[in-house]
Amino acid sequence: MKGVQIHDFDFNALMEFVKTAQGNVFLKTDEGDVLNLKSQLTALLVLSGALEQGEIREATVECERSEDESRLFRMNLYGEA
């Protein structure tokens, strides 16, 4: 798990990705916290605190499985999984 740096990413698209990911997906905060996005409580916290107008400006997302991380990388780069 090395993580994918995402920029200007739609929150709904990220959560759809999380639903289809085979493993856990983690959001790393600037403060060093690691939040499991598969958790509904965490998703609500991210939604309330890390968003501006429905987009995640910048974040690091790590996936438990390399296949998921590759798919997230393509999604971040090309806008499709």
Side-chain angles (χ1 to χ4, degrees):
M1 275 193 320
K2 65 177 182 169
V4 175
Q5 200 60 24
I6 61 173
H7 303 278
D8 300 324
F9 207 81
D10 180 87
F11 179 75
N12 291 325
L14 178 61
M15 294 317 293
E16 284 301 313
F17 167 81
V18 170
K19 286 180 190 176
T20 61
Q22 293 182 15
N24 286 314
V25 179
F26 303 96
L27 177 74
K28 290 181 72 175
T29 68
D30 291 338
E31 294 81 28
D33 297 318
V34 179
L35 307 170
N36 187 341
L37 292 176
K38 289 264 184 174
S39 160
Q40 292 296 321
L41 178 59
T42 300
L44 290 173
L45 290 172
V46 171
L47 178 61
S48 68
L51 298 176
E52 293 178 29
Q53 300 176 359
E55 290 186 348
I56 299 173
R57 295 288 174 208
E58 185 175 323
T60 300
V61 177
E62 293 182 351
C63 299
E64 202 170 47
R65 299 179 54 111
S66 61
E67 301 88 0
D68 291 333
E69 199 158 283
S70 294
R71 201 163 52 92
L72 179 63
F73 179 80
R74 285 191 309 274
M75 208 171 142
N76 187 44
L77 190 61
Y78 303 114
E80 56 189 52

